Amino acid sequence: MFRIVSLTTAAVLAASAASASDLRIAYGDLDLATPQGAARLDGRIREAADRLCGGRTSIERLKCRAGVREEALSGLPDRARTEYARGSRAFEA
């Protein structure tokens, strides 16, 4: 099992797996309200999930990656989550 939590204004998410390995997903340098910033965060989350979820069967890996993504995004402060939601969607007027 793993856990991702928000750590203060240092803008870092910490992830720890049962193996006690720690991963940090930095987002303070990204403008999450833009498609580019949201995409960069997605990439960082994918990289963290790949590290945490390696060595599992295909279905376990898919479940693990989805869990990492869900926990990483839910660990974002409300403002960052709102900005990410804006940046993740292409709004057309």
Side-chain angles (χ1 to χ4, degrees):
M1 195 58 143
F2 53 87
R3 186 173 58 129
I4 296 179
V5 294
S6 177
L7 288 179
T8 77
T9 58
V12 174
L13 294 176
S16 61
S19 65
S21 63
D22 286 333
L23 295 175
R24 300 193 187 287
I25 305 170
Y27 63 89
D29 61 323
L30 303 175
D31 182 354
L32 298 178
T34 67
Q36 297 83 3
R40 297 259 336 246
L41 179 60
D42 287 338
R44 291 175 185 183
I45 292 170
R46 270 192 302 277
E47 288 174 14
D50 288 344
R51 290 181 189 166
L52 285 170
C53 301
R56 293 182 165 93
T57 65
S58 295
I59 193 72
E60 289 173 340
R61 190 170 42 253
L62 289 172
K63 288 179 181 179
C64 178
R65 290 169 108 188
V68 169
R69 178 176 171 70
E70 181 180 329
E71 287 196 39
L73 295 177
S74 69
L76 288 171
D78 289 341
R79 181 177 177 172
R81 201 172 352 184
T82 299
E83 290 174 354
Y84 173 80
R86 283 190 198 128
S88 297
R89 293 174 176 47
F91 290 107
E92 293 184 26

